[in-house]
Amino acid sequence: MVVRVTRFTIGGEPLWGILDGDEIAPLEGTFVSTADILRLPPAELKTRAGAQRFPSSSANILSPVTAPAQIVCQGLNYADHADQSGHAPRQKNLLFMKAASSLSGAFDPVIRPAGCQMLDYEVELGLVLKRPLGAGDHVTRETLGDFIGGLVLCNDVSARDVMFGEAFMQWFRGKSARTFCPCGPWLVIPEADEVADLLDRIEIRLWLNDELRQSAHTRDFVFRPETCLNDIASLMDLSAGDLVLTGTPGGVILQASAPLAQILTTKLFKDSERKDAIVQEATAHTRYLAPGDIMRAEMRTDDSAVDFGRQLLEVVDA
């Protein structure tokens, strides 16, 4: 059994509800955060659904992952993305962070920061923890469901000119602007013994202005979720409600090239020169996200039995 839980408003304070077809059944009880939701198993959540129903089209859908939350990301975790980035074969898991204030809803605009010239998309599967993860924990495929409470569609929006052009290549800064982590539209909450199987069967896609740009299956992961969680646990502690992004497939706008590699190596310590050179080279023949662009992303199991929803995101200027 899986339940689809959404966070929404209809002219008031945020509410939580279960998706029932095209309707939302608000949950009875007090739920402040995602961690509160994930304390209950799917069957009990279903019993909390009241008799009242709202058309989902009448609701303002919010991110089902709430702040404060740590957001830990995997990079280059699909073979084709690693290859297109000039980092194949992968030897070690790449981890980095995003700010919780980057969280936004599945239909909210993505705001391009002032001066950003290389805005890019990264569709991703997100894992939401239901219990703490720390130094004494070891995760296996069989115990994934003990730690992972929910699965969610995400977009790791990235300002590439900041990531590679700012002082010593600031990934955190380039990935953490407000609206740079659209999540949802809903959180899929499976039974613990269903998690590992679900994670083996997910397809994920992103279109830019109706052109398919990214398409992949979770069988293409370089590092599996249990490996990622163990890497994180060896480094830091996570709490219930924290979000782990599992990497994006190939097809992002920024592609590795010999000229870009040369700029990065020869101008590593020349920050202003490096940024100008990267922008000039990367944008000479490639168009990055601009106001009016529409990103559409979808995620479902390969048999279409479990639907993780669709995002529709318009890029706007700050």
Side-chain angles (χ1 to χ4, degrees):
M1 173 195 295
V2 302
V3 296
R4 298 178 298 164
V5 173
T6 189
R7 182 168 163 262
F8 66 99
T9 59
I10 298 182
E13 293 297 312
L15 300 171
W16 294 87
I18 287 182
L19 265 292
D20 183 7
D22 293 329
E23 296 181 320
I24 300 173
L27 290 173
E28 296 175 344
T30 301
F31 301 97
V32 176
S33 68
T34 309
D36 292 337
I37 290 289
L38 294 177
R39 288 191 182 100
L40 301 180
E44 187 170 345
L45 283 170
K46 287 195 76 170
T47 68
R48 300 289 188 98
Q52 189 179 23
R53 296 288 190 275
F54 295 106
S56 57
S57 59
S58 69
N60 175 37
I61 303 298
L62 308 174
S63 168
V65 179
T66 57
Q70 296 186 99
I71 305 176
V72 183
C73 311
Q74 283 182 277
L76 307 174
N77 197 37
Y78 286 86
D80 57 352
H81 186 209
D83 184 59
Q84 292 167 11
S85 301
H87 288 275
R90 301 290 300 134
Q91 301 295 329
K92 293 214 172 181
N93 201 6
L94 170 61
L95 300 175
F96 57 91
M97 302 283 291
K98 286 176 80 82
S101 53
S102 67
L103 289 166
S104 60
F107 308 108
D108 293 340
V110 170
I111 301 172
R112 184 175 71 169
C116 177
Q117 300 176 73
M118 294 172 60
L119 190 65
D120 207 346
Y121 50 77
E122 292 191 10
V123 67
E124 308 208 10
L125 160 66
L127 316 175
V128 187
L129 269 68
K130 66 180 181 183
R131 55 159 284 186
L133 176 74
D137 293 312
H138 180 73
V139 185
T140 66
R141 187 180 187 279
E142 291 70 29
T143 62
L144 277 168
D146 295 340
F147 295 90
I148 297 170
L151 309 178
V152 64
L153 174 62
C154 299
N155 190 335
D156 177 21
V157 179
S158 305
R160 305 295 191 192
D161 45 342
V162 177
M163 288 172 60
F164 298 105
E166 293 285 345
F168 286 95
M169 296 179 282
Q170 296 190 34
W171 280 41
F172 180 80
R173 187 180 181 95
K175 288 177 171 285
S176 290
R178 293 174 183 87
T179 75
F180 271 26
C181 192
C183 284
W186 50 71
L187 188 65
V188 169
I189 303 176
E191 298 285 357
D193 60 2
E194 297 176 302
V195 171
D197 178 64
L198 266 181
L199 287 172
D200 288 341
R201 299 190 295 112
I202 293 173
E203 296 178 334
I204 190 165
R205 295 183 178 87
L206 180 139
W207 292 259
L208 177 61
N209 300 324
D210 292 327
E211 177 190 350
L212 182 63
R213 291 291 188 91
Q214 295 187 280
S215 180
H217 193 286
T218 50
R219 62 172 168 259
D220 301 324
F221 280 156
V222 178
F223 297 100
R224 305 299 302 175
E226 58 270 26
T227 301
C228 178
L229 292 181
N230 287 326
D231 281 352
I232 294 170
S234 72
L235 174 71
M236 60 185 287
D237 296 333
L238 293 182
S239 301
D242 285 349
L243 174 65
V244 176
L245 300 186
T246 56
T248 198
V252 298
I253 299 174
L254 179 65
Q255 302 289 310
S257 68
L260 282 174
Q262 184 176 23
I263 291 168
L264 288 171
T265 55
T266 60
K267 299 183 182 296
L268 179 62
F269 299 103
K270 301 175 181 178
D271 295 330
S272 59
E273 291 182 24
R274 186 179 69 252
K275 183 172 184 178
D276 290 344
I278 285 174
V279 170
Q280 182 177 354
E281 170 62 28
T283 61
H285 306 290
T286 304
R287 180 183 178 278
Y288 286 79
L289 295 175
D293 284 340
I294 303 292
M295 292 173 282
R296 174 167 55 91
E298 297 179 355
M299 190 165 75
R300 58 175 50 87
T301 52
D302 48 23
D303 60 359
S304 298
V306 180
D307 181 11
F308 295 83
R310 181 182 75 163
Q311 294 188 352
L312 199 63
L313 307 163
E314 181 177 2
V315 179
V316 301
D317 261 342

